[in-house]
C-alpha cells in the first residue's frame, strides 16, 4: 500500500463546474467502506490472503459491474468483501478511500460498515473495527479529515443477528457514533428492527436507516416513527407521498442522496431523470454522496458534477448541497461553523 499523501486538488478554472465542485469543502455522509474496494486492491488483498476471486482480471471485475437492481449489486459487493480477512486489509481499504476523499476536498466523513458481512465469515468484530478505526485516526492526524463510524445492520438477516451484533459492538462503543440499516430493502421493513434500534438509541447511538431506495414511502415513515432516525439514507420514494415530504421538510430531516448509485441500480432511468433538483425545490434537506463509489463509477465530486451537468444546478445550489453536508452531519455545532465558514470563503473567491 502506497503511503504517499496526495496534494489537494487545486481550485482551478473558475468557469468550470468540476473545478468549482473540487474546490468546495464538503462532508460525505453516505459511504459504505466495503463499497470503496477498487478491483486493484481487491486483487492485491485476495492474493496475499490466498483467496481465489471468481474473476481472472481487474477488467473482468469492472465488466461485471452492470446491475439491474439493488440485489444484483449486493451479490457482487458481498463477494468482493470476502477478500477482506485481516486487520491490515480493513486498514488499507479505509486508508485508500480516505486518500481519495482528501484529493476531493472531503473534510468530514461518516462511514458505514457492515460487520455481519465479515463476522458471518469468521472474521472477528475486533479485526474489522480495529483496522477501520486506525485508518480514521491516521486520517484525522495526517489529512485533517474528521470522521464518525456508523454500524449498519444487514436487513436481510433477522433481528436476533442484529442484536448479537449490537452486543459485539459494545466494547467498541466509543468508536461508533451511530447505527444504520442497509442491504436488501424490499420485504425487510424498518419495523423488523424495532427492538435493536431501541436498545441502540438507549445506549446513546444515533439512528439512521436506508429507506425509500427501492422500498415504498411507508418504509421512510417507519424509519422515522419506529426507528426514530435522525437522517434517511436515499429517501427517493418519499416523493410519492406529499404528506411525508411535508413532514420531512418541516422536521428538517436530512436525506443522503446518491445520484450515480441511483443510476447504476436503476432507481432512476437516467441521471437527467434524477429527482435531486425537485427535492431541492421542494425544500428537502438533501446532501449528495457516493454510496459505493468503487462500484458506481464515481466518488463524491463526480456525483456533484453529474447532477450539476444533467440537472443544470448552479453554483449557489452546489454550495448549498455542500453546506447541507456539514449541517446534516453528526459534528458539533462549533465544528460545523468552522467548516461552513471555510466553504463560504471558497464560494466568495469564485
Ligand atoms: N449496501 C451497500 N450499498 C447499499 C445500498 N445502496 N443500499 C442498500 N444497502 C447497501
Ligand atoms: Zn447505501
Amino acid at each position: 500500500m502506497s503511503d504517499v499523501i496526495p496534494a489537494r486538488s487545486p481550485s482551478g478554472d473558475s468557469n468550470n463546474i468540476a473545478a468549482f465542485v473540487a474546490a468546495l469543502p464538503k462532508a460525505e455522509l453516505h459511504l459504505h467502506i466495503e463499497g470503496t474496494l477498487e478491483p486493484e486492491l481487491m486483487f492485491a488483498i485476495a492474493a496475499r490472503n490466498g483467496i481465489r476471486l471468481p474473476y481472472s482480471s481487474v477488467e473482468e471485475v469492472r465488466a461485471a459491474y452492470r446491475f439491474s437492481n439493488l440485489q444484483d449489486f449486493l451479490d457482487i459487493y458481498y463477494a468482493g468483501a470476502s477478500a477482506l480477512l485481516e486487520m491490515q486489509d480493513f486498514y488499507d481499504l479505509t486508508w485508500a478511500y480516505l486518500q481519495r476523499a482528501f484529493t476531493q476536498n472531503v473534510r468530514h466523513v461518516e462511514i458505514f460498515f457492515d460487520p455481519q458481512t465479515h463476522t458471518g465469515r469468521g472474521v472477528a468484530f475486533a479485526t474489522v473495527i480495529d483496522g477501520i478505526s486506525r485508518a480514521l485516526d491516521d486520517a484525522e492526524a495526517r489529512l485533517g479529515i474528521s470522521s464518525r463510524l456508523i454500524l449498519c445492520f444487514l436487513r436481510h438477516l433477522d433481528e436476533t443477528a442484529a442484536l448479537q451484533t449490537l452486543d459485539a459492538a459494545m466494547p467498541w462503543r466509543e468508536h461508533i457514533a451511530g447505527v444504520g440499516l442497509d442491504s436488501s430493502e424490499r420485504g425487510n421493513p424498518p419495523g423488523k428492527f424495532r427492538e435493536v434500534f431501541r436498545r441502540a438509541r438507549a445506549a446513546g447511538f444515533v439512528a439512521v436507516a436506508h429507506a425509500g431506495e427501492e422500498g415504498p414511502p411507508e418504509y421512510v415513515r417507519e424509519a422515522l416513527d419506529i426507528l426514530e432516525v435522525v437522517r434517511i439514507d436515499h429517501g427517493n420514494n418519499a416523493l410519492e407521498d406529499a404528506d411525508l415530504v411535508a413532514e420531512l421538510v418541516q422536521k428538517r430531516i436530512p436525506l443522503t442522496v446518491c445520484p450515480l448509485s441511483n443510476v447504476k441500480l436503476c432507481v432512476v432511468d437516467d441521471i437527467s431523470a434524477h429527482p435531486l433538483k425537485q427535492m431541492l425545490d421542494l425544500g428537502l434537506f438533501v446532501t449528495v454522496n457516493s454510496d459505493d463509489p468503487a462500484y458506481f463509477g464515481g466518488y463524491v465530486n463526480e456525483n456533484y458534477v453529474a447532477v450539476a451537468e444533467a440537472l443544470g444546478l448552479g453554483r449557489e445550489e452546489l454550495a448549498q448541497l455542500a453546506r447541507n453536508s456539514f449541517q446534516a452531519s453528526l459534528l458539533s455545532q462549533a465544528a460545523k461553523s468552522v467548516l461552513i465558514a471555510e466553504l463560504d470563503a471558497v464560494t466568495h473567491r469564485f
Side-chain angles (χ1 to χ4, degrees), residues 57 149 151 168 233:
S57 67
L149 251 186
L151 181 167
D233 298 310

Side-chain angles (χ1 to χ4, degrees), residues 156-272:
H156 66 275
L157 301 178
D158 63 23
E159 191 179 40
T160 305
L163 286 162
Q164 285 162 356
T165 303
L166 182 62
D167 285 344
M170 290 317 285
W172 300 90
R173 175 71 197 81
E174 74 278 15
H175 291 266
I176 304 170
V179 295
L181 189 63
D182 67 0
S183 191
S184 321
E185 187 179 7
R186 283 200 193 113
N188 294 299
K192 181 178 162 187
F193 296 92
R194 179 192 298 264
E195 176 59 15
V196 71
F197 271 71
R198 189 194 64 71
R199 285 198 210 172
R201 289 193 319 274
F205 295 101
V206 300
V208 300
H210 284 54
E213 179 185 19
E214 285 190 342
E218 290 73 32
Y219 284 18
V220 176
R221 195 168 280 291
E222 278 191 22
L224 294 172
D225 295 349
I226 300 179
L227 305 187
E228 299 183 26
V229 299
V230 299
R231 282 199 308 245
I232 296 286
D233 298 310
H234 296 294
N236 302 47
N237 292 342
L239 295 178
E240 293 168 18
D241 179 337
D243 290 342
L244 178 60
V245 169
E247 185 177 330
L248 291 166
V249 171
Q250 190 263 324
K251 292 187 172 157
R252 250 179 97 65
I253 303 288
L255 306 182
T256 63
V257 177
C258 305
L260 292 176
S261 164
N262 292 159
V263 174
K264 275 289 205 179
L265 301 187
C266 306
V267 168
V268 297
D269 292 337
D270 183 84
I271 191 72
S272 60

Side-chain angles (χ1 to χ4, degrees), residues 89-344:
D89 305 338
F90 292 93
Y91 180 94
D92 290 349
L93 171 71
T94 310
W95 184 242
Y97 163 70
L98 291 162
Q99 287 185 99
R100 286 255 200 177
F102 180 80
T103 66
Q104 296 209 342
N105 238 331
V106 173
R107 309 300 303 276
H108 176 73
V109 291
E110 298 190 354
I111 290 188
F112 295 132
F113 73 119
D114 287 344
Q116 289 160 291
T117 299
H118 313 297
T119 54
R121 300 179 290 112
V123 177
F125 190 100
T127 302
V128 178
I129 194 156
D130 202 18
I132 296 172
S133 298
R134 285 181 196 219
L136 295 178
D137 289 348
D138 284 353
E140 177 106 50
R142 299 176 63 191
L143 306 177
I145 299 178
S146 57
S147 61
R148 298 286 186 275
L149 251 186
I150 300 178
L151 181 167
C152 281
F153 303 114
L154 297 182
R155 70 201 302 160
H156 66 275
L157 301 178
D158 63 23
E159 191 179 40
T160 305
L163 286 162
Q164 285 162 356
T165 303
L166 182 62
D167 285 344
M170 290 317 285
W172 300 90
R173 175 71 197 81
E174 74 278 15
H175 291 266
I176 304 170
V179 295
L181 189 63
D182 67 0
S183 191
S184 321
E185 187 179 7
R186 283 200 193 113
N188 294 299
K192 181 178 162 187
F193 296 92
R194 179 192 298 264
E195 176 59 15
V196 71
F197 271 71
R198 189 194 64 71
R199 285 198 210 172
R201 289 193 319 274
F205 295 101
V206 300
V208 300
H210 284 54
E213 179 185 19
E214 285 190 342
E218 290 73 32
Y219 284 18
V220 176
R221 195 168 280 291
E222 278 191 22
L224 294 172
D225 295 349
I226 300 179
L227 305 187
E228 299 183 26
V229 299
V230 299
R231 282 199 308 245
I232 296 286
D233 298 310
H234 296 294
N236 302 47
N237 292 342
L239 295 178
E240 293 168 18
D241 179 337
D243 290 342
L244 178 60
V245 169
E247 185 177 330
L248 291 166
V249 171
Q250 190 263 324
K251 292 187 172 157
R252 250 179 97 65
I253 303 288
L255 306 182
T256 63
V257 177
C258 305
L260 292 176
S261 164
N262 292 159
V263 174
K264 275 289 205 179
L265 301 187
C266 306
V267 168
V268 297
D269 292 337
D270 183 84
I271 191 72
S272 60
H274 196 281
L276 186 83
K277 167 101 173 114
Q278 188 193 349
M279 290 168 151
L280 277 169
D281 292 346
L282 284 165
L284 285 161
F285 188 5
V286 286
T287 64
V288 165
N289 309 272
S290 69
D291 204 4
D292 301 284
Y295 292 87
F296 299 152
Y299 284 75
V300 70
N301 285 0
E302 286 79 35
N303 275 272
Y304 275 74
V305 170
V307 283
E309 287 177 346
L311 309 178
L313 301 187
R315 288 193 183 165
E316 203 31 68
E317 285 161 312
L318 294 169
Q320 187 59 50
L321 289 165
R323 197 170 296 115
N324 287 356
S325 74
F326 294 125
Q327 303 226 325
S329 75
L330 302 177
L331 284 166
S332 68
Q333 194 50 56
K336 290 180 187 181
S337 300
V338 169
L339 289 161
I340 291 169
E342 252 185 74
L343 167 66
D344 289 342

